[in-house]
Amino acid sequence: MKKAIEFYQNKLGFTITHQEGNPIEMAIIERDGASIFLVENDDRNLAEGTSLRIEVEGVEELYAEFQAKGEDIVHPKGKLETKPWGSKEFSVLDLAGVCIAFYEFVELD
């Protein structure tokens, strides 16, 4: 959990708003109105089969923020692109293998 919290704070810019346990077993992290509950779980297969989508305003700016950190935060197959269903998005994998897509709907031509 400690490493997961550090990833979300240092890499993705979330702030921890609540935690339980010593050592931590559950934490709530937030950024720009989005809340994620992190829960201790030893089943990596469960995490690797999980994905979530977070709608944002300014997806291009967020993408640039992550790229500017000079690290491999964005998944190699999750670069910023406009999808056929009308969202511009990119993906990140957290340390447990959870896929997080940050997206914003755009007008299609």
Side-chain angles (χ1 to χ4, degrees):
M1 281 296 291
K2 182 180 176 185
K3 287 182 181 179
I5 292 168
E6 288 174 355
F7 173 83
Y8 280 91
Q9 286 180 312
N10 299 333
K11 307 289 187 193
L12 305 184
F14 282 78
T15 302
I16 189 166
T17 58
H18 180 79
Q19 63 186 28
E20 293 182 9
N22 187 12
I24 301 171
E25 296 175 351
M26 189 279 281
I28 301 171
I29 56 170
E30 297 181 1
R31 177 177 175 166
D32 301 328
S35 299
I36 299 175
F37 286 61
L38 301 174
V39 180
E40 181 72 29
N41 182 342
D42 293 329
D43 186 351
R44 185 163 179 89
N45 291 322
L46 179 63
E48 289 176 347
T50 302
S51 63
L52 60 108
R53 298 175 58 76
I54 299 175
E55 186 173 10
V56 300
E57 291 181 13
V59 71
E60 290 180 5
E61 292 82 0
L62 184 62
Y63 184 77
E65 174 189 326
F66 291 172
Q67 294 291 87
K69 291 184 178 187
E71 302 174 32
D72 294 328
I73 295 172
V74 175
H75 189 280
K77 294 182 180 178
K79 302 291 186 197
L80 184 67
E81 65 178 343
T82 301
K83 301 293 188 178
W85 50 85
S87 67
K88 185 175 278 192
E89 59 186 70
F90 68 93
S91 299
V92 171
L93 286 181
D94 77 2
L95 299 177
V98 175
C99 180
I100 306 162
F102 294 93
Y103 72 96
E104 179 176 36
F105 283 104
V106 295
E107 289 187 33
L108 298 175
D109 294 333

